[in-house]
Amino acid sequence: MPETGVSRAQHTDISNAAAEPVTGESTGAGPAATAAARRTALLVTLVLGGLTALPPLSMDMYLPALPAVTDALHAPAATVQLTLTACLAGMALGQVVVGPMSDRWGRRRPLLIGMAVYVLATAICVFAPTAELLIGFRLLQGLAGAAGIVIARAVVRDMYDGVEMAKFFSTLMLISGVAPIVAPLIGGQVLRFTDWRGIFAVLTVVGAVLTLVVWKWLHETLPPEERHTGGIGEALRTMRGLLGDRVFTGYMIAGSLAFAALFAYVSASPFVVQEIYGASPQTFSLLFGINSIGLITVGQINGRLLVGRISLDKALGFGLGVIVLAAVALLLMTSGVFGEVGLVPVAAGLFVLMSAMGLAMPNTNAQALMRTKHAAGSASALLGTSSFLIGAVASPLVGIAGEETAVPMAVVQVVCAVGAMVCFLGLCRPWQRQS
């Protein structure tokens, strides 16, 4: 039987209450201990949710400002989109470093260092005088912000296993999913009172607050006896062993390609919605928020209704299939097969694509991490690095034909969605295993 999340928490020192199972009846624990354990679980969920919300917050608050940054820094749209690519690439590369570090030195120390550097880098972005310098500072911001992403996933693996881990990832998606809803709305409102630099000022404050929360409430989850003592050589051997696992690699690449399809939307949608279809920044923020609600809702259906009733692979396969269909529909609409279409049909296609990510993203992470009990940091690093690197490649491709067409966005989404399905079927081969 897979371990429950609470039974794994008995090996951590999040707090004294975390050592007690949530179900007091199973062990004879009293109501007070049960309540304390539940409070601790809720607190940890909120902290980890904040860490996983920070990357979309960093990206999505900035999205309504992309056209304004293009004008203010006198740079072409393709160059300004590189500020997104740089942040993604930094998050990808940073995870390769931080993941193995957290397996060796624990989760807390690398996380606090990374968060402190993130705050500094974001503050520097406020004063960037050129697009080139902004790209450089965004790269540093991504490198530092990687600590929160990779360590949050590793902490989940420290505490949970099996179905409980899949449920927790869906819960985490609910919390972190609030960021894509709120972030563009905040960004659009900030632009009413200041310019794009004010967005980075707000992000600096958010990062500082989250750093203080982590320092005060998130304690170590990896006991010293479970840490790796080797150096770079051992870390590389561990990663090589993980990549040698065909099934793990299949889930990793499938999840990364699905993320790239999502990020193609994230990168292109400000120009598609505002420049091609003439919507205001506030309308764009509203549509982005609706799409994020779809992702969150499906993620909660996955965690609360599907997990434990049907196999994770069935839910994942269905989600990838819907993503493929939505991407193909978007390509047909944007290429003129159905004639001139307005914003509403395109927005509907994007809503379906985004919503299906609620099945793809938590289940690829859960299935991959369930195979990596003793190297959660390195496995989390590989999952994150692959996602962000492929997303960073997809980002500039969506603007390759300029700002007047959405066809490149749809083409990237179709290629990534079909590739994800091929990897899932060809490498994971779910029909050969029981999920």
Side-chain angles (χ1 to χ4, degrees):
M1 293 290 292
E3 294 179 85
T4 67
V6 181
S7 66
R8 288 188 62 82
Q10 291 176 349
H11 302 290
T12 72
D13 64 346
I14 291 178
S15 75
N16 292 334
E20 296 294 336
V22 169
T23 305
E25 292 86 346
S26 63
T27 60
T34 299
R38 287 174 175 165
R39 286 195 300 270
T40 299
L42 176 61
L43 179 60
V44 172
T45 300
L46 293 174
V47 173
L48 297 182
L51 291 173
T52 55
L54 191 60
L57 198 63
S58 301
M59 294 287 181
D60 299 342
M61 272 187 65
Y62 178 61
L63 293 180
L66 281 178
V69 175
T70 300
D71 296 334
L73 298 182
H74 308 290
T79 299
V80 173
Q81 283 177 326
L82 287 176
T83 61
L84 295 176
T85 302
C87 190
L88 269 182
M91 289 179 181
L93 297 175
Q95 290 182 72
V96 176
V97 177
V98 176
M101 285 175 59
S102 73
D103 281 340
R104 182 176 183 182
W105 290 303
R107 315 301 186 199
R108 181 174 164 84
R109 191 192 315 172
L111 176 58
L112 287 172
I113 293 173
M115 291 299 299
V117 176
Y118 170 88
V119 172
L120 178 62
T122 307
I124 295 174
C125 287
V126 177
F127 305 101
T130 66
E132 291 74 19
L133 287 175
L134 181 60
I135 291 170
F137 295 149
R138 288 281 278 174
L139 177 65
L140 179 60
Q141 183 189 42
L143 287 168
I149 306 170
V150 67
I151 292 178
R153 270 197 306 267
V155 168
V156 173
R157 186 63 186 91
D158 292 339
M159 298 174 62
Y160 293 88
D161 203 353
V163 169
E164 293 299 321
M165 182 166 59
K167 289 182 178 180
F168 192 90
F169 273 125
S170 293
T171 301
L172 215 55
M173 180 172 289
L174 171 63
I175 299 172
S176 62
V178 172
I181 297 174
V182 175
L185 297 174
I186 295 175
Q189 295 306 312
V190 169
L191 291 176
R192 288 177 174 269
F193 303 100
T194 182
D195 61 8
W196 59 271
R197 298 179 188 275
I199 292 176
F200 286 109
V202 173
L203 285 172
T204 301
V205 174
V206 171
V209 171
L210 186 55
T211 301
L212 290 175
V213 169
V214 168
W215 175 75
K216 183 172 179 61
W217 281 300
L218 186 64
H219 300 283
E220 187 57 63
T221 62
L222 185 66
E225 62 272 14
E226 295 184 13
R227 298 177 190 176
H228 296 183
T229 56
I232 296 177
E234 181 181 346
L236 293 176
R237 284 191 296 272
T238 299
M239 289 187 173
R240 186 168 61 246
L242 292 171
L243 293 175
D245 181 343
R246 170 179 54 80
V247 178
F248 172 84
T249 301
Y251 286 122
M252 179 187 73
I253 298 177
S256 299
L257 288 171
F259 178 82
L262 183 151
F263 198 74
Y265 157 74
V266 170
S267 299
S269 58
F271 297 97
V272 170
V273 174
Q274 295 180 75
E275 301 296 331
I276 297 176
Y277 292 100
S280 67
Q282 287 70 39
T283 299
F284 162 74
S285 300
L286 177 62
L287 291 175
F288 199 94
I290 291 173
N291 291 341
S292 299
I293 290 174
L295 187 152
I296 292 170
T297 301
V298 174
Q300 292 312 292
I301 292 173
N302 176 73
R304 296 180 180 274
L305 299 180
L306 301 183
V307 171
R309 292 179 172 86
I310 67 173
S311 73
L312 299 184
D313 280 328
K314 287 181 180 178
L316 173 57
F318 180 78
L320 291 177
V322 172
I323 292 171
V324 170
L325 293 176
V328 170
L330 285 167
L331 179 58
L332 294 176
M333 285 189 287
T334 57
S335 60
V337 171
F338 301 130
E340 293 292 331
V341 298
L343 176 60
V344 172
V346 173
L350 291 171
F351 174 80
V352 172
L353 185 145
M354 282 282 286
S355 297
M357 294 293 173
L359 293 175
M361 295 171 64
N363 290 328
T364 50
N365 282 334
Q367 289 286 67
L369 287 173
M370 272 194 275
R371 303 179 65 86
T372 60
K373 178 178 180 180
H374 300 296
S378 296
S380 178
L382 287 174
L383 290 172
T385 297
S386 176
S387 294
F388 283 102
L389 280 180
I390 295 177
V393 172
S395 175
L397 295 179
V398 301
I400 198 169
E403 303 175 30
E404 305 302 321
T405 175
V407 171
M409 176 192 73
V411 169
V412 170
Q413 289 174 330
V414 169
V415 170
C416 291
V418 172
M421 181 64 80
V422 169
C423 286
F424 173 61
L425 296 177
L427 295 178
C428 301
R429 301 174 191 173
W431 60 86
Q432 295 180 351
R433 298 172 294 106
Q434 291 184 351
S435 297

